[in-house]
Amino acid sequence: LALFQVQSCFVTWPVVLPPFDQEQMAGASSRTATPPPRARPPAESRPSGSQAAGPSKAASGAELPSYFGKFAWCFFFLLLAIAYVGILKCDSGRTALLKLEGSLKSYLVQVPLSQRGVLWQAAEAMEGLGLQLPLFVLGFGGDRLSYYDAMHKALGDISPFVGGVAMFKYKAVSDIMTSRDQPRGQYIGARAVPDRCMVPSTLIYMSTGSNHSKMRSFMTQQLKALEKGSHNKTLLPEPAEVGDLKLADDSWIKRSIIRNLWYRLFQEEPAKSTEDNLFQYYTWGGTCVLGKTFHALTFNYALGQLDVIRGKAYDDALATKVGANFKLKAEKDLGLSEAEAKEALQQLVDGFMFAGLLGTSHLVTHTLDRIRENPNLYVPMWRKNKQGFLLESARVDPPVTSVTAVLGEATDLSVGSGWRGTGAMWIRFEAGST
């Protein structure tokens, strides 16, 4: 915002200078735009005993130049932006903004789902882009766990979130995760996900029940990598250019994860072109959680990049025996059409990239960061129980921080309302709310 205002002031807006006398204008550069010279009054109108009146207020500088007001507004917005960023960087400021967000969101989610039209969507988008997104990205560094924890502390066990609520209690989440008849939708982090991120039949979108169980069972049967105890603990050899693994940066670690996960799932080492393509997913895949509004406002640029990445990843998977057999069996065993079988394989590829690459890389890199913080403490713990160490790392810094469910029936909930009222209010949510 600050950069935009400064640019608007000094680049976009024309500079208008105060008027000069005729002699001054004659020596001015031809490139400077100045207003035409003022006509001198007739001689009889001049004060007697003098040739001309004294200098005008404009010429003497008694009046502020016309560009001063625009500069003042630019400076004001610059200070406002700096102050906003400053608020985002301190604990008390973030807490205040979370309560403000809770106040605004409580008004929005109070509107019944069936009555939310274009104006509601515009208001929700403005709040999301103007408050929630800066708070999440700048205030919490894009760390969902820190953001959710702070929201829980500021707004209580149930807080307004996007178009519905966020529930933080273990039992509430556990009930959703273990329910055999839990409605779901095409959401991640409660925001609608474009089809160009993941196919609509993706398992995390699918309501639990017979169809969900059928697809899960099919995947387990067809993919040896998902069988318990079937994984190979031997890692693929690292490229020759990676000499000392202790000095390897995150990019090499992520590439190692790509190669080893691909090898385990599809039983073949990936080609260099496959690895390079999948590595680009680290840049663009995470934008899927930002929702359809974000992509619309950015002219679907990230989705265009994902189209290329997902398309090649599908072709590379289909070129493997495991991928080709998966698609063929989906047609025969599940009775799917050619298009449906293709979507089933695309779902497998999407899950491999989003959960496999992004999720695994988060766990690995953050675990390494933790060990590097205090090697004397953590290295012996790692060597003693590697699996236990990873599980504890996943508990305190989870790669997956939420699951989105949909209400199957209308429900009354006590929702945190920030600065509004007593800090909590009862709201009725219609079936279909997230």
Side-chain angles (χ1 to χ4, degrees):
L1 176 62
L3 291 174
F4 173 77
Q5 291 295 340
V6 172
Q7 178 185 2
S8 299
C9 182
F10 294 107
V11 179
T12 308
W13 292 346
V15 176
V16 181
L17 300 176
F20 290 86
D21 289 339
Q22 183 73 26
E23 292 79 12
Q24 290 175 310
M25 285 191 289
S29 170
S30 60
R31 292 177 296 173
T32 303
T34 58
R38 294 171 296 167
R40 293 173 63 88
E44 57 272 17
S45 66
R46 299 174 191 169
S48 59
S50 66
Q51 294 298 318
S56 67
K57 290 183 178 180
S60 65
E63 292 183 355
L64 292 175
S66 58
Y67 62 81
F68 182 83
K70 297 174 182 178
F71 175 83
W73 276 110
C74 289
F75 191 67
F76 169 76
F77 280 113
L78 178 60
L79 291 178
L80 190 64
I82 293 173
Y84 189 24
V85 173
I87 292 172
L88 291 169
K89 292 301 181 180
C90 66
D91 290 339
S92 59
R94 288 191 290 265
T95 300
L97 289 177
L98 282 168
K99 290 187 176 181
L100 174 60
E101 183 184 10
S103 303
L104 297 175
K105 281 290 188 185
S106 65
Y107 280 106
L108 290 172
V109 300
Q110 207 172 1
V111 179
L113 192 64
S114 57
Q115 298 178 22
R116 298 176 184 179
V118 176
L119 290 179
W120 187 94
Q121 295 174 4
E124 196 280 327
M126 290 173 62
E127 188 280 329
L129 295 173
L131 184 56
Q132 186 184 51
L133 186 61
L135 184 58
F136 172 63
V137 175
L138 299 177
F140 294 95
D143 185 351
R144 287 184 172 272
L145 179 63
S146 299
Y147 176 59
Y148 290 149
D149 280 348
M151 188 191 305
H152 185 196
K153 292 176 183 178
L155 300 174
D157 293 341
I158 302 177
S159 70
F161 185 69
V162 190
V165 296
M167 297 182 176
F168 300 100
K169 283 293 187 180
Y170 175 86
K171 185 179 186 306
V173 178
S174 178
D175 289 345
I176 290 172
M177 294 294 294
T178 58
S179 173
R180 296 182 178 273
D181 187 22
Q182 174 61 60
R184 294 179 182 169
Q186 196 166 333
Y187 303 98
I188 295 179
R191 294 200 176 275
V193 181
D195 292 350
R196 293 163 70 181
C197 280
M198 284 180 254
V199 294
S201 59
T202 297
L203 276 175
I204 61 173
Y205 302 156
M206 192 183 297
S207 301
T208 54
S210 59
N211 291 334
H212 185 275
S213 299
K214 186 177 181 181
M215 178 56 74
R216 283 178 60 92
S217 298
F218 173 77
M219 286 186 170
T220 303
Q221 293 169 4
Q222 299 302 320
L223 301 171
K224 183 179 179 181
L226 300 183
E227 295 178 4
K228 291 183 178 181
S230 65
H231 62 281
N232 186 350
K233 295 182 180 180
T234 304
L235 295 174
L236 294 175
E238 295 299 321
E241 55 265 33
V242 184
D244 188 352
L245 289 178
K246 296 178 182 177
L247 303 177
D249 59 19
D250 281 358
S251 65
W252 286 112
I253 293 170
K254 291 176 179 178
R255 284 182 175 273
S256 179
I257 290 172
I258 290 172
R259 290 191 295 272
N260 283 281
L261 285 185
W262 183 274
Y263 177 68
R264 280 161 171 70
L265 185 61
F266 295 106
Q267 305 295 301
E268 297 178 19
E269 291 189 33
K272 186 62 166 60
S273 60
T274 301
E275 177 187 326
D276 290 341
N277 176 64
L278 292 172
F279 187 73
Q280 298 302 313
Y281 192 82
Y282 286 112
T283 301
W284 304 107
T287 63
C288 291
V289 305
L290 299 178
K292 291 182 178 180
T293 301
F294 167 83
H295 289 287
L297 292 175
T298 54
F299 306 101
N300 294 326
Y301 181 80
L303 295 180
Q305 302 297 317
L306 287 171
D307 288 341
V308 177
I309 297 169
R310 294 175 67 233
K312 177 169 174 49
Y314 174 87
D315 291 340
D316 291 341
L318 185 62
T320 66
K321 292 182 179 179
V322 171
N325 184 66
F326 183 89
K327 180 174 179 292
L328 180 63
K329 289 287 188 177
E331 293 183 55
K332 291 184 176 180
D333 295 357
L334 298 179
L336 302 182
S337 65
E338 168 74 18
E340 291 171 335
K342 180 179 179 180
E343 185 170 309
L345 179 57
Q346 183 69 66
Q347 175 188 169
L348 177 63
V349 173
D350 291 338
F352 168 84
M353 293 189 293
F354 188 82
L357 299 188
L358 299 186
T360 306
S361 296
H362 176 102
L363 178 59
V364 171
T365 56
H366 286 224
T367 300
L368 286 172
D369 289 341
R370 182 174 299 277
I371 293 174
R372 288 165 179 159
E373 287 176 359
N374 194 340
N376 293 333
L377 173 64
Y378 290 125
V379 169
M381 294 171 62
W382 166 260
R383 289 174 175 168
K384 183 178 180 180
N385 188 345
K386 296 180 177 64
Q387 182 174 351
F389 194 99
L390 275 175
L391 288 174
E392 180 64 6
S393 182
R395 185 188 70 82
V396 299
D397 189 3
V400 180
T401 52
S402 68
V403 59
T404 303
V406 176
L407 287 178
E409 57 185 18
T411 305
D412 294 314
L413 297 171
S414 177
V415 181
S417 58
W419 302 114
R420 186 181 174 195
T422 60
M425 58 187 303
W426 283 94
I427 299 176
R428 186 169 184 79
F429 292 90
E430 294 181 349
S433 300
T434 55

